[in-house]
Each structure stands twice: as structure tokens, then as C-alpha cells.
Amino acid sequence: MSLTSEEIFRKLLHGLALVLPAAIFYGPGILHAQPWLISLVLGFLLVGSLSIEAIRFRSSPFSRIFNHCFGSMLRSAESTKLTGATYVIGGSFFCSLIAIGGKVAAASAFLGLSLFILGDAAAALVGKAIGRSRIGEKTLEGAFGCFALCLLLALGVFPYLPEFTLVWGNIHLLQAVFLSALVAVLELFPFRVGKIVLNDNLYVPVIVTFVCILI
């Protein structure tokens, strides 16, 4: 495996998706709006992204334009399947629906979605840079990179974010270790339905959000 500039740029763009969990938690307060409004906006973004994907698959001229603009960042499988960006928006939309349940749910969605977005990026970059121990299409080194970054974020970043600890409470060491390990394991071992491998961008943030609420 090798780390390319395209993969680095892809994950940097992936990191920009942090605006989505931030919007779920901070958006209602900043905009003085109900949480369902954030879900509505993300729902429109998801519909728009799916529409672009559908046009890309059906229109050759549009597909050529799309590939010219974004082709260097697409993985080979994404030429005929939905892109990771669409799945990220989908996962964020489902997390925003959970966040409607209250402030604790919103803080949990913020935590779970953020840990996954950055942990997933770390797993890919570390795995492609130094990964040697393959597990399917992933690497054990990437999983450790994911775990380490999530642990750093849970203990060294989230406790100092405005309003977070007031709502979710303090993140204890065992909680941080458990959540970081959960993200790393879910990212390493994808779910399968028959022969279909589910995209982790869609379901991992939702699972982690529910676990954050429970603990």
C-alpha cells in the first residue's frame, strides 16, 4: 500500500465534513432554530448529492465533467457506485435525526460523528503510509492510528470545546478508550449483508452516537 497525494487531499476534504457534526450540535443555538431544521437542511443536502450521483450515472457528458473535476479523488469503485461524500452526508443526516431527541443526543451525535470522520481519515492515511498487516482491505496499523487519534480527541479536545461538557459531561478515561476502540473496530471490520459490504460512513457514526448516549 502507498500513500498518494490524491489520498491525502481526499482525506483533507473528508476532514472538512466536521462542519456537519458541528452544525448538529452548535447550529440550533447559533441560528436560534429548532434541531429539526438542521435535519431538514442535511436532508436537502443528501437529496442533492444523490441527485448529482444519479445524473453522473445516467449522463455521459455530465460524468465526464464530474470526473474531470473530482476524478483524481475518486477510488476505482466509486466510478460505478456512490461516492464516500454522499455516504458521509447520509450518516450525518441520520445522526441529526437522533439529535432531535435532546441536547445530550445532540452532543452524542457531535462526538460520535466527529470521532468517526477524523478516525476514519487517520486509519486510511496511516494504513496507506505504513500499513503492512492486512485485514481484508484495511490494515491493523490503520486501526491503531484511528484508535490513537480518537483517544487524543476524546481526552484532549472535546473536554475543552464550548458547551460540550456542560451537556454531555466529562469524558472519563475508560469511556474514551471504549469509544476509540469501538470506532477503530467498526472501521476495520465492515458490516456485510449477504455479499454486499455496507459503507461505514453511513452506519458507524449512527452506532457510535447511540453508544455515546448509552454511556
Side-chain angles (χ1 to χ4, degrees), residues 123-136:
L125 294 176
V126 172
K128 289 184 179 298
I130 62 173
R132 297 293 182 272
S133 305
R134 296 289 297 271
I135 300 178

Side-chain angles (χ1 to χ4, degrees), residues 6-205:
E6 289 80 8
E7 184 66 21
I8 294 174
F9 187 58
R10 174 188 172 92
K11 290 307 176 183
L12 287 175
L13 290 178
H14 197 69
L16 292 178
L18 285 173
V19 70
L20 301 176
I24 291 173
F25 183 58
Y26 292 110
I30 294 174
L31 300 175
H32 302 289
Q34 294 297 319
W36 61 263
L37 181 62
I38 304 299
S39 295
L40 184 63
V41 171
L42 290 177
F44 278 121
L45 284 176
L46 179 58
V47 170
S49 185
L50 288 171
S51 299
I52 291 174
E53 300 273 23
I55 297 172
R56 176 169 72 95
F57 295 145
R58 295 174 179 272
S59 171
S60 296
F62 183 83
S63 180
R64 285 193 292 269
I65 295 173
F66 186 91
N67 289 332
H68 177 73
C69 295
F70 306 106
S72 63
M73 293 180 290
L74 296 179
R75 290 175 177 159
S76 57
E78 291 176 329
S79 60
T80 57
K81 297 180 180 179
L82 297 180
T83 62
T86 297
Y87 283 113
V88 169
I89 296 173
S92 301
F93 171 68
F94 288 123
C95 286
S96 73
L97 294 178
I98 300 172
I100 295 175
K103 290 186 177 180
V104 172
S108 297
F110 178 41
L111 176 61
L113 187 54
S114 298
L115 289 181
F116 170 73
I117 288 174
L118 292 176
D120 180 67
L125 294 176
V126 172
K128 289 184 179 298
I130 62 173
R132 297 293 182 272
S133 305
R134 296 289 297 271
I135 300 178
E137 296 182 357
K138 308 292 181 72
T139 68
L140 193 59
E141 291 84 356
F144 278 119
C146 174
F147 172 80
L149 182 60
C150 288
L151 188 62
L152 175 64
L153 293 170
L155 294 176
V157 176
F158 274 88
Y160 303 99
L161 294 178
E163 299 183 32
F164 179 79
T165 53
L166 295 177
V167 176
W168 200 85
N170 293 320
I171 301 178
H172 303 297
L173 177 60
L174 288 178
Q175 292 175 327
V177 170
F178 179 75
L179 288 174
S180 301
L182 178 65
V183 174
V185 170
L186 290 175
E187 196 279 333
L188 181 61
F189 299 104
F191 284 175
R192 295 178 181 270
V193 178
K195 295 183 178 180
I196 300 176
V197 178
L198 300 181
N199 190 284
D200 55 5
N201 292 298
L202 188 62
Y203 66 84
V204 174

